[in-house]
């Protein structure tokens, strides 16, 4: 998929991985609608990006926990740029103390965004198709001992993404669905780890040891992998794991073989 003339929506776009995703999509010719609850960071980033890339971005203050806000944001995106071709369901938090909120944002927010995007992208209802990339985590592939609920949300994102990829093929939606599964990435989400682990804060040292063992990625390394999942039209139903040493497409064994 060439990105010139295409429009992307990125959730959690104001900082971290979402900001890097936004930048690489702009660098490759797409228009980008940034959605985030952090209006200060989002507006500031939009201004900076419009200076660098021309009027090719829109920032909308949007909470992925809200069906109403997401619905309005997708409509504004379509009204402004005429189409939605790419969705990056990236917004996410890590907080085992507020685990219901973690589920609502990380998993339910991805489902909400995917279903609302279908209304605009689905070839069976007048859309032009496209691609949806859901930001999961390496914790969505292997259990992360100090974050069981976070692990559950990311495992759910992987499962939902793969099922939607199959449903899309069977239904003729014309939309590819892929999961992006980074290891540890240097962002705000990795700050104050002890406070994020809630009842598992006694496992902070074990977590730090895992970080040391696995290393830490830059947001740019993750964004490069997003670009691959967006532009390579052979990729559908994939889970791409990203490590500091490289990347790997996960092979899932079939239960029927
Ligand atoms: N940092 C890592 O080690 C790492 C690794 C793998 C996966 N991830 C995932 O990557 C995604 C981005 O995380 P990050 O590391 O860039 O974190 P971050 O905290 O730096 O950025 C997250 C962004 O999402 C926004 N956000 C949070 N809740 C929101 C909501 N309800 N609605 C809209 N926006 C919201 C925040 O305001 C922020 O701008 C998350 O899904 C996270 O689980 C992170
Ligand atoms: C505290 C920061 C949280 C960041 C969350 C983010 O999503 C990153 C997750 C990164 C890695 C998760 C790794 C999970 C690994 C498990 O599969 C574990 O079982 C691997 C054991 C590795 C080993 O000891 O050989």
């Amino acid at each position: 998929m060439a990105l010139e003339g295409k429009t992307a929506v990125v959730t959690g776009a104001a900082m971290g991985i979402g900001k890097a995703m936004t930048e690489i999509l702009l660098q490759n010719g797409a228009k980008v609608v940034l959605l985030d609850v952090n209006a200060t960071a989002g507006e500031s980033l939009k201004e900076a990006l419009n200076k660098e890339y021309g009027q090719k971005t829109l920032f909308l203050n949007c909470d992925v926990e809200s069906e109403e806000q997401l619905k309005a944001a997708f409509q504004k995106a379509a009204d402004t740029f005429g189409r939605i071709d790419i969705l990056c369901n990236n917004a996410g938090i890590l907080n085992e103390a507020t685990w219901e909120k973690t589920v609502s944002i990380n998993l339910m927010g991805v489902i909400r965004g995917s279903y609302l995007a279908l209304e605009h992208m689905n070839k069976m209802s007048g859309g032009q198709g496209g691609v949806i990339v859901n930001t999961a985590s390496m914790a969505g592939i292997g259990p992360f001992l100090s974050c069981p609920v976070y692990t559950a949300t990311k495992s759910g994102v992987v499962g939902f993404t793969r099922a939607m990829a199959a449903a899309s093929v069977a239904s003729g939606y014309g939309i590819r669905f892929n999961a992006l599964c980074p290891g540890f990435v240097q962002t705000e989400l990795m700050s104050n780890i002890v406070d994020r682990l809630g009842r598992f804060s006694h496992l902070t040292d074990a977590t730090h040891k895992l970080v040391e063992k696995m290393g830490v990625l830059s947001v740019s390394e993750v964004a490069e992998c997003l670009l691959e999942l967006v532009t390579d039209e052979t990729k559908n139903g994939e889970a791409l794991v990203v490590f500091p040493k490289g990347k790997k497409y996960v092979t899932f064994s079939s239960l029927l073989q």
Side-chain angles (χ1 to χ4, degrees), residues 190-244:
M190 283 197 66
S191 66
N192 308 313
I193 289 175
V194 65
D195 298 330
R196 295 174 184 274
L197 300 186
R199 70 180 66 202
F200 300 102
S201 59
H202 59 285
L203 298 176
T204 299
D205 285 349
T207 303
H208 284 305
K209 285 191 175 70
L210 194 56
V211 174
E212 281 165 38
K213 178 170 187 172
M214 301 182 84
V216 181
L217 290 154
S218 71
V219 291
S220 303
E221 290 173 289
V222 179
E224 288 292 341
C225 291
L226 167 84
L227 187 65
E228 179 172 312
L229 290 172
V230 166
T231 55
D232 184 341
E233 298 191 53
T234 68
K235 302 304 182 194
N236 184 42
E238 300 286 359
L240 178 57
V241 175
V242 194
F243 307 85

Side-chain angles (χ1 to χ4, degrees), residues 110-186:
V110 167
I111 297 167
R112 272 184 210 105
S114 297
Y115 284 176
L116 286 167
L118 271 178
E119 294 173 21
H120 294 272
M121 298 168 69
N122 181 359
K123 281 187 173 176
M124 301 306 286
S125 53
Q128 299 170 79
V131 57
I132 296 178
V133 180
N134 296 323
T135 304
S137 164
M138 197 180 295
I141 304 299
F144 192 0
L145 77 169
S146 51
C147 318
V149 171
Y150 182 85
T151 296
T153 67
K154 295 304 185 178
S155 306
V157 168
V158 172
F160 173 76
T161 302
R162 295 181 65 223
M164 285 303 293
S168 182
V169 170
S171 309
Y173 293 160
I175 301 170
R176 294 181 289 116
F177 289 78
N178 291 301
L180 179 59
C181 304
F184 296 107
V185 188
Q186 197 55 59

